[in-house]
Amino acid sequence: MAVSTAVDGTVAAGGGTGAKVLCPQRLTMEHVTSRWGVLVLIRLLERPHRFAELRRSITPIGPVSEKMLGQTLQSLERDGLVNRDVKPVIPPHVDYSLTDLGREAAEQVRALALWTNERMDQVAKARENYDMAKERA
């Protein structure tokens, strides 16, 4: 999704005329709860990671492209949730870690992920009941 910041601080998604305007809270929620944002935050909660290491740790869950992971990290860094530490060596060594704010967000996201795992049987049953009721209607 293309995103641009307006003069008043609101954010337009889609970029063109007629683009929807997102409040700053919603944009941050989108970054934190995006498919890759959730996984990045949970992985970095364990410990700092280098880019390739982080990508490998996420890939078993779903293949993430370098571009998508880079964009996700950049968004989370811009929001103050992720710290990017570049070591002055050749080749560059970059570590990603959570800021205090990021750690707080990651703990909340992890709690939601754990709750989802624990309640999946109930959700599956509710879906089944809903679908059966819809078929009868």
Side-chain angles (χ1 to χ4, degrees):
M1 166 187 345
V3 175
S4 60
T5 306
V7 176
D8 65 358
T10 59
V11 177
T17 57
K20 63 181 179 178
V21 176
L22 303 177
C23 68
Q25 295 87 345
R26 180 164 175 182
L27 183 61
T28 302
M29 280 289 284
E30 285 186 9
H31 293 162
V32 169
T33 61
S34 71
R35 178 178 184 182
W36 305 118
V38 168
L39 297 174
V40 165
L41 289 171
I42 291 173
R43 285 294 188 251
L44 292 179
L45 193 53
E46 299 164 1
R47 62 179 174 76
H49 285 70
R50 292 182 69 182
F51 185 90
E53 177 185 32
L54 184 58
R55 185 169 182 230
R56 278 191 306 272
S57 74
I58 291 172
T59 296
I61 298 166
V64 60
S65 69
E66 286 186 23
K67 180 181 177 184
M68 196 67 238
L69 181 56
Q71 288 175 347
T72 299
L73 287 165
Q74 189 174 24
S75 294
L76 294 173
E77 181 183 6
R78 183 171 184 256
D79 289 343
L81 305 177
V82 168
N83 182 47
R84 183 177 184 267
D85 182 27
V86 181
K87 306 286 190 221
V89 295
I90 308 282
H93 179 119
V94 181
D95 284 319
Y96 294 91
S97 61
L98 293 175
T99 63
D100 289 341
L101 188 62
R103 181 162 297 284
E104 187 178 337
E107 288 170 353
Q108 298 296 320
V109 167
R110 182 176 60 185
L112 180 59
L114 291 171
W115 176 87
T116 304
N117 284 342
E118 292 169 1
R119 299 294 187 252
M120 222 32 244
D121 289 343
Q122 291 171 286
V123 170
K125 184 66 177 164
R127 287 177 178 170
E128 184 180 311
N129 291 341
Y130 178 89
D131 292 344
M132 286 179 14
K134 279 295 208 184
E135 288 174 9
R136 281 184 255 148

